[in-house]
Each structure stands twice: as C-alpha cells, then as structure tokens.
C-alpha cells in the first residue's frame, strides 16, 4: 500500500530524489519529502568530506507547526529544531527512522551546512545546545529592553571588559559607582 503524505493526508507519496543519489518519497502537492535515515546514511557515506564552514545565511522556509503522523507506522513524529538561527524543525519517527522534510527544508539544511550531518540534529547534545543558545539570546533581549538606549554602550563595554586582562580591577573600580548610588 502506498504511503500517504503526513501533511496533506489524502495524497500519495511517490518515489523522488532529494539529491542525485539520494532517493526519498515526495508529495507533489505540498512539496514535502519523506526521507529514510537508512537511505540518508547510505548516501552520506559516499559523499566527500564537507567543510562545515561554508554555511550561507539561513533562508526562511515554511515550517509545519502541526504534529505529524508517520506515514509508515501512524505514530506521532518528534520535532527537532535545526539550529537556534532558524525556527524550522524536522520531524522524525523514532520508530521507523523516517524524516519528514517540508517543502524547501532540504535546501535550508544544505544552506545551514547540515546536509552532511543531519543525524546530529536528532541527538540530545545538539538539541541542548540549540536551547542553550536560545536561552542566552532571550536573556540578551531582556537586557536590551531593560537598558533601552544604553544597551549598545553597555554591550560595547562588556565586550571590551571580556578581553581585558585588567577586567577584575576595572570592575572593582566601577563598583564604587554602584556603592555610591542612592538606594
Ligand atoms: Zn503533501
Ligand atoms: Zn514510523
């Protein structure tokens, strides 16, 4: 029986290719692709080593916020954030090792220099790192709100202090300003 598109639900998935030698099942209606990690690993092994430093600026690609059901086993797929710089998630069925890529997502993965290391996205260290970067960014945004017009200046000062061998002394000196402030 043919697999149905987890997004469109009533469309059949047909054999397609993500890359010349990377077969997958595609939905002609929404442009999504179901990629088996078995095929992916097989393809990956035959790729020349890639330089991860070639990533271009991320592009915006539509992301499905809905929980999707695996076309193979009907179980819900798990969402994995690609990086902290993009809102996009890829869906993985942890039972079948099948990945659902929304239209254009493979291109995005390629732009993020993740085409050669897609399986890393599904690891706990990767996801923890993404969350950590996100949390730091949110904290920084809160400081920007709180400091308003002084934020840029404060950030400059922070950068300067970070690489300054006298940072401790400078901060101790500045502490006097804090001590003198009315409570
Ligand atoms: Zn579809
Ligand atoms: Zn499945």
């Amino acid at each position: 029986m043919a697999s149905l598109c987890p997004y469109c639900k009533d469309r059949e998935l047909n054999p397609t290719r993500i890359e010349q030698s990377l077969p997958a099942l595609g939905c002609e209606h929404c442009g999504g692709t179901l990629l088996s990690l078995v095929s992916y690993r097989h393809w990956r092994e035959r790729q020349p080593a890639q330089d991860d430093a070639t990533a271009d600026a991320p592009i915006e690609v539509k992301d499905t916020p809905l929980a999707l059901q695996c076309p193979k086993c009907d179980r819900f797929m798990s969402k994995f954030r690609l990086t902290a710089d993009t809102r996009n998630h890829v869906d993985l069925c942890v039972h079948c090792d099948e990945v659902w890529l929304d239209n254009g997502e493979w291109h995005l993965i390629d732009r993020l220099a993740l085409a050669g290391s897609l399986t890393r996205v599904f690891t706990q260290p990767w996801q923890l790192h993404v969350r950590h970067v996100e949390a730091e960014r949110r904290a920084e945004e809160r400081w920007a709100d709180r400091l308003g017009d002084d934020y840029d200046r404060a950030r400059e000062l922070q950068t300067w202090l970070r690489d300054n061998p006298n940072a401790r002394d400078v901060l101790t000196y500045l502490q006097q300003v804090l001590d003198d402030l009315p409570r």
Side-chain angles (χ1 to χ4, degrees):
M1 197 189 81
S3 299
L4 295 177
C5 171
Y7 183 71
C8 305
K9 300 205 184 340
D10 57 349
R11 306 280 174 146
E12 284 188 7
L13 296 174
N14 295 306
T16 182
R17 283 176 189 284
I18 292 180
E19 298 279 341
Q20 184 130 46
S21 53
L22 181 52
L25 292 173
C27 171
E28 279 153 29
H29 188 68
C30 69
T33 320
L34 186 71
L35 170 65
S36 149
L37 284 184
V38 175
S39 310
Y40 171 76
R41 290 196 185 95
H42 188 65
W43 170 79
R44 180 66 195 97
E45 276 161 22
R46 287 168 300 154
Q47 294 305 300
Q50 276 177 355
D51 181 3
D52 275 1
T54 55
D56 288 321
I59 41 168
E60 279 308 314
V61 173
K62 174 192 79 92
D63 186 47
T64 307
L66 308 168
L68 300 179
Q69 279 169 278
C70 172
K72 302 271 169 181
C73 72
D74 250 14
R75 288 181 170 105
F76 279 108
M77 302 177 90
S78 311
K79 293 192 180 292
F80 294 84
R81 214 30 208 282
L82 284 171
T83 68
D85 294 323
T86 127
R87 304 300 311 167
N88 283 73
H89 294 82
V90 281
D91 297 85
L92 168 75
C93 173
V94 294
H95 304 281
C96 308
D97 261 4
E98 296 278 342
V99 177
W100 178 255
L101 302 168
D102 290 319
N103 191 13
E105 251 168 14
W106 178 258
H107 185 52
L108 173 69
I109 286 165
D110 202 30
R111 287 282 288 266
L112 293 168
L114 289 174
S117 50
L118 182 58
T119 44
R120 273 175 72 197
V121 169
F122 307 124
T123 62
Q124 202 189 18
W126 184 275
Q127 291 302 313
L128 285 175
H129 175 72
V130 168
R131 261 174 268 161
H132 177 73
V133 173
E134 271 267 283
E136 280 195 334
R137 194 165 293 169
R138 274 199 302 272
E140 205 57 33
E141 281 166 10
R142 282 196 296 273
W143 274 114
D145 274 354
R146 187 166 157 188
L147 297 176
D149 290 344
D150 291 329
Y151 174 73
D152 287 344
R153 194 73 192 276
R155 202 177 151 81
E156 239 172 73
L157 191 61
Q158 196 193 54
T159 310
W160 171 71
L161 273 173
R162 282 227 161 103
D163 334 302
N164 195 315
N166 293 324
R168 204 168 283 279
D169 287 341
V170 177
L171 281 169
T172 307
Y173 177 69
L174 289 175
Q175 176 74 31
Q176 295 175 42
V177 182
L178 190 61
D179 292 345
D180 291 345
L181 285 178
R183 299 259 158 194

